Amino acid sequence: MCTNIVYEWLKTLQLPQYAESFVDNGYDDLEVCKQIGDPDLDAIGVAVPHHRRRIHEAVRRLKEADETVAGLYFTLEP
């Protein structure tokens, strides 16, 4: 079994059985996982409706966390 951030994320969602399929389909980083939609879940093999909802909700939370952190970035002008 793969051990990476996506596996750990799926484990917290109680969906570690999908980890190998995620990685096999190119979803080996949370930044990539933020782009997951229904066609992606079909390709990965997530067919159980409540598993799909759990993943969609987790993706939404990942995106919200990005928006919160985005306000902390700044640049220094010379």
Side-chain angles (χ1 to χ4, degrees):
M1 176 56 63
C2 55
T3 303
N4 68 12
I5 190 71
V6 173
Y7 171 75
E8 293 300 325
W9 178 64
L10 289 168
K11 197 163 87 169
T12 66
L13 299 176
Q14 298 178 341
L15 299 171
Q17 67 269 32
Y18 297 113
E20 193 169 342
S21 293
F22 266 67
V23 172
D24 288 348
N25 283 280
Y27 296 94
D28 56 355
D29 183 89
L30 291 182
E31 287 300 315
V32 180
C33 289
K34 291 176 191 174
Q35 308 305 315
I36 289 176
D38 283 320
D40 305 300
L41 293 179
D42 291 339
I44 292 168
V46 182
V48 181
H50 68 273
H51 290 182
R52 293 172 77 96
R53 280 192 302 275
R54 200 178 305 165
I55 292 169
H56 280 305
E57 177 63 21
V59 167
R60 184 188 62 74
R61 287 192 307 265
L62 285 174
K63 289 178 181 178
E64 284 178 359
D66 265 3
E67 291 172 8
T68 302
V69 173
L72 300 176
Y73 290 111
F74 62 93
T75 59
L76 297 176
E77 297 290 327

